[in-house]
Amino acid sequence: MGRWEPDARGRLERAALALYAERGFDQTTVEDIAVRAGLTKRTFFRHYADKRDVLFAGASVLQELVVRAVDSAPPTSSAIGAVIVGLEAAADLLRERREEAGARQAVIDANPELQERELVKLSTLAQGIAEALQGRGIAARTATLTSEAGIAVFRVAFNRWIAEAGRRDLVPLINETLDELRAAISDDL
Amino acid sequence: MGRWEPDARGRLERAALALYAERGFDQTTVEDIAVRAGLTKRTFFRHYADKRDVLFAGASVLQELVVRAVDSAPPTSSAIGAVIVGLEAAADLLRERREEAGARQAVIDANPELQERELVKLSTLAQGIAEALQGRGIAARTATLTSEAGIAVFRVAFNRWIAEAGRRDLVPLINETLDELRAAISDDL
């Protein structure tokens, strides 16, 4: 291992997000990122597998956090209640990283290949949540429907949070969006 | 163009689905498919771009059909009502092709790369439905939430329909699954 670089990982991430925004993801190299961060390629590869990994390295941490929160929601929680506990845990993680999360989303929205990767990530997260719900005794079909609804709510609420530049916290936006989904699919409309 | 082969497209599709099930998608070649169908590779490529296209060629037809049905749902229909009209149009298309649809799904479920392609297809369909809803005057956020909910309902209902070997029609399964989603996310649970 080379010498210790203070916050190398964070510096590399910020440099990568800035370059992806300026030049586009495809036009940015690992070399460019290392130079911008004032670090070496060697240091880059100690922290990330490749330039795409900068955008997706957090996915497994997020998934683990959300699934653990669903698992440990109060036993009296309904299926959707437990999902909301999980999504609130994600919101807690993202709260301090709003600017990076917004920059990351903009890069993904501009690149179809990254959008596919993001779809896979969200689908894996939905499956993880559905399995956690089944572990709470929820029937498989209800678990799938509830977790898919939760992910749809999260995506919409997240986009609002970014578009509103964080003027409101993500947690109330999640709950408001869930209410909107309920209203949208209710049968007395 | 070569000589006319009666139902070449259908014969190629059935041969491909049978081989994908027997040997796996990755282990099957276009040559194998043509031989099994009693046709030439040249005929195969007149109908399909590659062996993956056999599984996804129907996607744009399905999308067009669903979007047109959402567009032309009665003006009094709610957002979710219009989505259900669209999903019922998909059910009408699939009704006569249940065995192929089930075989296709089994091949996809066995192959992560095909699953990614299917996720992209369903995401494109959800976007198409959301745009059709916006064309009906539905606000963007509600359109997104309703179309995502509709796709989740359709996937679950479709899997039941295949698992039940078509003992019930897909249309009542869609409506029943929507009721399950409503119950699952209602706030008085």
Side-chain angles (χ1 to χ4, degrees), chain B:
Chain B
M1 299 278 288
R3 69 201 171 86
W4 181 72
E5 301 284 0
D7 190 28
R9 197 176 167 87
R11 282 159 66 189
L12 288 163
E13 186 193 17
R14 286 187 293 277
L17 289 173
L19 286 164
Y20 297 163
E22 288 165 24
R23 306 180 185 177
F25 177 79
D26 288 332
Q27 285 73 46
T28 302
T29 66
V30 167
E31 174 100 52
D32 297 335
I33 297 167
V35 169
R36 174 71 64 102
L39 296 165
T40 62
K41 275 173 74 172
R42 196 188 149 102
T43 302
F44 178 94
F45 288 116
R46 247 195 320 270
H47 292 278
Y48 297 106
D50 54 36
K51 65 177 181 166
R52 199 179 73 164
D53 190 38
V54 182
L55 299 168
F56 293 98
S60 58
V61 175
L62 184 79
Q63 168 132 4
E64 210 174 293
L65 180 90
V66 171
V67 167
R68 200 170 334 115
V70 173
D71 274 338
S72 57
T76 52
S77 294
S78 63
I80 187 67
V83 170
I84 293 295
V85 168
L87 300 181
E88 288 177 353
D92 288 342
L93 184 77
L94 291 170
R95 188 172 292 115
E96 303 306 316
R97 296 177 40 78
R98 187 179 55 77
E99 287 191 22
E100 291 89 338
R104 176 186 176 280
Q105 193 61 48
V107 173
I108 289 171
D109 289 346
N111 185 307
E113 196 197 314
L114 297 175
Q115 285 166 36
E116 291 193 19
R117 178 78 205 120
E118 181 75 353
L119 280 178
V120 172
K121 192 197 89 173
L122 289 169
S123 168
T124 306
L125 179 56
Q127 281 170 41
I129 293 173
E131 280 163 27
L133 289 175
Q134 287 195 61
R136 297 174 59 87
I138 306 294
R141 211 157 63 213
T142 303
T144 299
L145 288 167
T146 313
S147 71
E148 293 284 349
I151 294 296
V153 163
F154 188 80
R155 288 177 68 178
V156 168
F158 175 85
N159 286 333
R160 285 177 75 179
W161 185 56
I162 297 300
E164 294 183 359
R167 279 192 295 281
R168 280 185 294 168
D169 188 71
L170 183 48
V171 168
L173 288 172
I174 289 169
N175 284 287
E176 215 177 294
T177 306
L178 174 58
D179 282 338
E180 288 183 7
L181 173 61
R182 285 172 173 144
I185 68 167
S186 81
D187 59 359
D188 41 50
L189 280 181

Side-chain angles (χ1 to χ4, degrees), chain A:
Chain A
M1 301 278 286
R3 67 198 173 89
W4 180 71
E5 300 285 0
D7 190 28
R9 195 176 169 87
R11 282 160 65 189
L12 288 163
E13 186 193 17
R14 286 187 293 277
L17 289 172
L19 287 165
Y20 298 163
E22 288 166 25
R23 306 182 184 177
F25 177 78
D26 288 332
Q27 285 71 45
T28 302
T29 66
V30 166
E31 175 98 52
D32 297 334
I33 298 167
V35 169
R36 174 73 63 103
L39 296 165
T40 62
K41 275 174 72 174
R42 195 188 150 104
T43 303
F44 178 94
F45 288 117
R46 250 198 314 274
H47 291 279
Y48 297 107
D50 54 37
K51 66 176 180 166
R52 198 179 73 165
D53 190 37
V54 181
L55 299 167
F56 293 99
S60 58
V61 174
L62 185 78
Q63 166 131 5
E64 209 174 294
L65 180 89
V66 171
V67 167
R68 200 171 334 117
V70 173
D71 274 339
S72 56
T76 51
S77 295
S78 64
I80 188 66
V83 170
I84 292 294
V85 168
L87 300 181
E88 288 178 352
D92 289 341
L93 184 76
L94 291 170
R95 188 172 292 115
E96 303 307 316
R97 294 177 41 77
R98 186 178 57 75
E99 287 192 21
E100 291 89 337
R104 176 186 177 279
Q105 193 62 47
V107 173
I108 289 172
D109 289 345
N111 185 308
E113 196 196 315
L114 297 175
Q115 284 167 35
E116 290 194 19
R117 178 77 206 123
E118 181 76 351
L119 280 178
V120 172
K121 192 197 89 174
L122 289 169
S123 168
T124 306
L125 179 57
Q127 282 170 40
I129 293 173
E131 280 163 27
L133 289 175
Q134 287 195 61
R136 297 174 60 87
I138 306 294
R141 211 157 63 213
T142 303
T144 298
L145 288 167
T146 313
S147 70
E148 293 284 350
I151 293 297
V153 163
F154 188 80
R155 288 177 67 177
V156 168
F158 175 84
N159 286 334
R160 286 177 75 179
W161 184 56
I162 297 300
E164 295 183 358
R167 279 192 294 281
R168 279 185 294 168
D169 188 72
L170 183 48
V171 168
L173 287 171
I174 289 170
N175 284 287
E176 215 177 294
T177 306
L178 174 59
D179 282 339
E180 287 182 9
L181 174 61
R182 285 171 175 145
I185 68 167
S186 81
D187 59 0
D188 40 51
L189 281 182

